[in-house]
Amino acid sequence: MILFLAGFFAANEKFISEYASWRKRWSFFSFALFAIGAALMLFLLLGDLGPAMVICFTFIVLFSFSRGDFMQMIMTVVFYALATWIFKNVWLSAALSIGFLAVLWLINRKKLSESAVMALVIVSGFMTLDKVPHLDKLFPGPVTRLIERKAIWQDPWNNDVYGGDQIANGLWAMSSGGVAGQGIGEGFAKTIPEAHTDMILPSIGEDFGWAGIVSIFILFLLYLHRSIIIGRQTGTPFLFYVCAGIGICTFVQFLLIAGGSTGALPLSGVALPFESYGGSSLVANFVAAGFLLSASKVKGTAVQMAYITKQQDKNLVPALLAACVGLVLLTIGVSQYLFDNQKWVVKPALVADKSGARMFSYNPRIAILMNKLQAGTIYDRNGLILATSDPQLIRKQQNLINNAGAGNYDLDSAMHKRLQRYYPFQDQLFFWLGDANTQVFNGSTNGYFAEYEHAAELRGFKMPVSNYTVKASHYQEDRFLPRGVKEMTVAKKDYSAIAPLLVAGINSDEVAAFKKKNRDVKLTVDAALQTAIQKSIAADTSLNDNRVSVVIMESATGDVLASAQYPLPPIHNWDLLNMPIPEQNKLSQWVTTTDLGFTYATQPGSTAKLLTSMSAFNKLGADAEKVTFHVSMEERIRTKGLEPDETGVITMERAIAKSNNVYFIKLANEEHLQEEMATLYLKTGMFLHGVGGYFYNKQPANTNADQEEKWREFWRKTEFNTKPPYDPNNIHRTRAKGISGMAWGQGELIATPAAVARLASGIANNGTLMTSRFALKINDTVIAARTSEKLTEPAYAGLIKGYMIEQSAPKVPILNLSVAGKTGTPERVWKKQSINDGWYVFFAPNPKQGGFTVVCIRIESTKGSSDAVRLAGQHIIPYLVKMGYIRNMVDKPVEVDEQ
């Protein structure tokens, strides 16, 4: 290509520089425009920007040398770039640049700069090509690729592109290198996409730093300078254009790849000459360099040199000056990442995953460093080892661990496998800990997963997390569904605390010293309690066809003591553990692949009446206790069983004690409690119409207020405004819809056992809900108990507590303990069949810590709440009493109401 261009311009140099007429000028210029158009078409056909850009700019620069208008061409490109930067509108920038060219032409009518026009066509064509109507239909692949590359170039840290972190990966590598680099072979080039071709410069920058990158810049500038000087010294136009063409072509490639890999220019997909891995490209570059060496021995005569001087010197100085300015700007752009590198080495990039969902991508060196630091040990509240990287610590506690129920753990076998982490309680505490060896569910929301939740603290540093609401413009929930716009919340992790370690190097002395810090975490869980409950339930054959979840927490501190489930997760069956819910529903047996107590929500049934009564107190005050409703025989919903709905005039006390469904339907509708109920749903973590709840801990109010208001507006349009509306003369028609269903825990209201336990915890704690606490101590810091929400006034909480004591009084013979509780038997559809779940939430004083111990039980697909009460008496209360977590609610014998 260069030989052809050199021969063409050498033969037509005089004709090009001195057009005899406008007709001849247009005849040639039209050919040049056709060539530019052909180059752009080449891009569309090949789907690669690089070759077209190299060919076009090499042609334009050589044309400007021949025409003698290099200066005008550079001025036009600079003007367009400035206009685009200022006005942020590519069409306006193009129009202003055309006006700028027109002004230059008016100043000197004989000197229209065709080079400037062609350069403007190329640059503005790249910026506007994706906006040409219907072009994306003719060339969908290349146009989409162009759109994506422009998006990455315009903001490498925030773009809606799958793989949009490619430039960010290069910047992370260079910022890791700093000024002097990590050292030869100390970088992690394998973490950079296309590190051996497109992104070779960041790879070099990581090893050699700012000094190495700038040295390469200077070498390419010298190569361009020597190429032009050698061509000029030959004195012959052909050799001049060949040598200058080699230098320009090489320098253009360098600028494109250097600018692309540093974010100064869009990624173009060309190789860095003499540096990138390649076959034919490398051979061609060395052949070109050999030609330059041969041409350097040719010296022109005085006449030839006079001609070259007159024809080309007016172009060469501006050209070399422009190259110097370009390198200076490129160096300034790169320097910000290498001198202020602690800021950039941990900066995440907000991009898109394969489905189009937004996600933060992080410097992969962070994961390598985290692995190098090695996680500390996780303990339960009593000091038992739950997870560790040192198996000898488990050996020292072997007897204690065995006594706590983990006697079947084969430590020697685990050590033989050379695992990174050791888990003596295995599946008993899987959702508390996760599995760092397999990384299964890493970052998922179906468990607490302390290995992930406290990944930073287990390495000795703090990692603040911020949540942002963003929009995904190309989200595809399923491959059979079209892509569309979706609003979602993403979490941003701040790794600033380990930025000095990343800059110092993964294998540095600083990292070795950092590993000596306290990196242990103590959780709130009682491993022995949860294991004992789970083993006791598993041994009960009457529960073989059910699924059970039990949440136990302390009301005064918010400590979560246990989240037990049956059956246990199949951690040794990878296929079953990762099986989608629709596939699980095809199985004959129950499967547990999520923390049932905290992340699996279903209708809570009559336990929700506690919330409805609290809402009444919050709105009506003490008068709520006096609200009565008449329930007729025809209005009853529960007509069978041991306790059908009572009839006659019903008070709130009787309605809770005897779980009267009709009373609460009338109370919620006729007192218009929906807004107060919605407030409590948001505080305790219940879901209404699929939104509003939370699993482990609620986001701070100042970051979630807008979202909560959106949910309220949604509920006002749906659940608070159902059709047909509530009819007091025919409550059966809407008994499970809208506000009626909400009132007694049916319809679109769903909750986890943890959410119901939080509600009961607030009642037990005099109306104040404590934030659920999952960690007691992190490193050297004791985690203080925190007040989360005020649910109601202490007096109202005391009244509801009394109602709950009365409701559970008949159950003392089964429980062998007096408690305050509430049962529930909701009906729902599972596997296209109607089933009943059994719920029981209760609390009693905690003699060990003070306050109350709160328990919430859910048995799926059972006869009703009586099974949950029986389970509490057989499998939970005995262990709570034995371990000192619970005692009688009242000391004197409880009088059972026989009515």
Side-chain angles (χ1 to χ4, degrees), residues 398-473:
Q398 194 70 63
N399 291 334
L400 293 174
I401 292 172
N402 290 346
N403 293 336
N408 62 340
Y409 182 64
D410 191 342
L411 179 60
D412 292 330
S413 175
M415 292 174 64
H416 182 72
K417 296 176 182 177
R418 297 182 178 180
L419 301 175
Q420 289 184 346
R421 299 287 281 172
Y422 299 88
Y423 303 98
F425 287 88
Q426 303 180 93
D427 51 359
Q428 298 288 343
L429 294 174
F430 173 73
F431 292 117
W432 274 95
L433 303 172
D435 189 344
N437 297 316
T438 63
Q439 298 290 313
V440 64
F441 298 142
N442 197 13
S444 299
T445 58
N446 58 322
Y448 182 70
F449 300 139
E451 289 279 26
Y452 182 83
E453 180 71 19
H454 299 292
E457 291 89 345
L458 285 167
R459 273 87 181 167
F461 66 94
K462 293 183 179 180
M463 181 188 67
V465 178
S466 305
N467 290 303
Y468 298 89
T469 300
V470 298
K471 284 187 177 180
S473 58

Side-chain angles (χ1 to χ4, degrees), residues 813-825:
I814 302 173
L815 302 175
N816 293 313
L817 195 77
S818 60
V819 301
K822 183 71 186 76
T823 55
T825 307

Side-chain angles (χ1 to χ4, degrees), residues 161-211:
V161 179
Y162 174 52
D165 58 352
Q166 186 171 358
I167 292 179
N169 271 281
L171 299 178
W172 288 327
M174 289 190 292
S175 59
S176 299
V179 177
Q182 293 284 344
I184 300 176
E186 293 297 320
F188 294 91
K190 288 185 178 180
T191 65
I192 308 172
E194 307 300 332
H196 60 299
T197 53
D198 292 19
M199 304 296 282
I200 187 69
L201 196 61
S203 305
I204 296 171
E206 185 174 12
D207 282 0
F208 296 96
W210 182 87

